[in-house]
Amino acid sequence: MANFSHYPLQKSIYQTLTNDSTLMGLVVGVFNRPPQGTDFPYVTLGESAGSDWSTKTTTGMEQNVTLHVWSREGGRAEAASIMQRLYTLLHQVNLSVTGQTLVSIRFAASAILLENDGWTYQGVMKFQAFLEAS
């Protein structure tokens, strides 16, 4: 497998999200792990998994990144609205990734789930990114 860190892509995604005034008007923040007592709604950077997609001439890695949207207002509508903005910000865009070259990033899947407490909605979005060593 190529020697890639997940952190540079995660950092680029985080910066893209937190620098967007429209998204930041919809949520209280974007977190790796939200502080205890954080108000809703917010976004968390979730799971990240990678696999090698190198060729004979290029060292590459596929990274699958999951984002979570946490909402307690408006049923699924608030989570869906935030997820639409995440899609706009990350689907087929150019991101600067330190030490790596982003070939592409695209939306892969999503779901909105009602948590066991009966009033918190969790939106789950998966994005697939392909990177090459710089």
Side-chain angles (χ1 to χ4, degrees):
M1 185 168 116
N3 185 17
F4 280 88
S5 168
H6 291 248
Y7 179 71
L9 178 60
Q10 182 180 8
K11 181 179 178 184
S12 180
I13 289 171
Y14 176 82
Q15 289 173 337
T16 298
L17 301 183
T18 58
N19 288 335
D20 182 69
S21 61
T22 300
L23 177 64
M24 298 313 293
L26 297 172
V27 299
V28 299
V30 177
F31 307 100
N32 281 316
R33 181 175 169 189
Q36 193 167 15
T38 298
D39 289 333
F40 290 83
Y42 59 87
V43 175
T44 56
L45 302 174
E47 303 78 17
S48 178
S51 60
D52 186 25
W53 69 276
S54 298
T55 66
K56 289 182 180 182
T57 59
T58 304
T59 301
M61 181 178 194
E62 173 188 350
Q63 287 188 32
N64 295 294
V65 177
T66 304
L67 301 176
H68 300 271
V69 173
W70 302 93
S71 170
R72 286 191 175 163
E73 295 291 331
R76 288 176 170 80
E78 182 178 63
S81 176
I82 296 164
M83 292 168 74
Q84 179 60 48
R85 188 64 188 160
L86 295 175
Y87 176 91
T88 299
L89 292 171
L90 296 175
H91 179 66
Q92 296 184 339
V93 298
N94 293 321
L95 300 176
S96 176
V97 181
T98 303
Q100 301 168 15
T101 301
L102 180 68
V103 175
S104 69
I105 184 168
R106 67 178 185 86
F107 168 77
S110 68
I112 299 176
L113 314 165
L114 180 60
E115 293 295 297
N116 290 334
D117 66 9
W119 60 310
T120 303
Y121 285 91
Q122 177 188 178
V124 180
M125 295 188 77
K126 296 179 185 264
F127 290 87
Q128 182 181 40
F130 292 93
L131 300 128
E132 293 178 348
S134 292

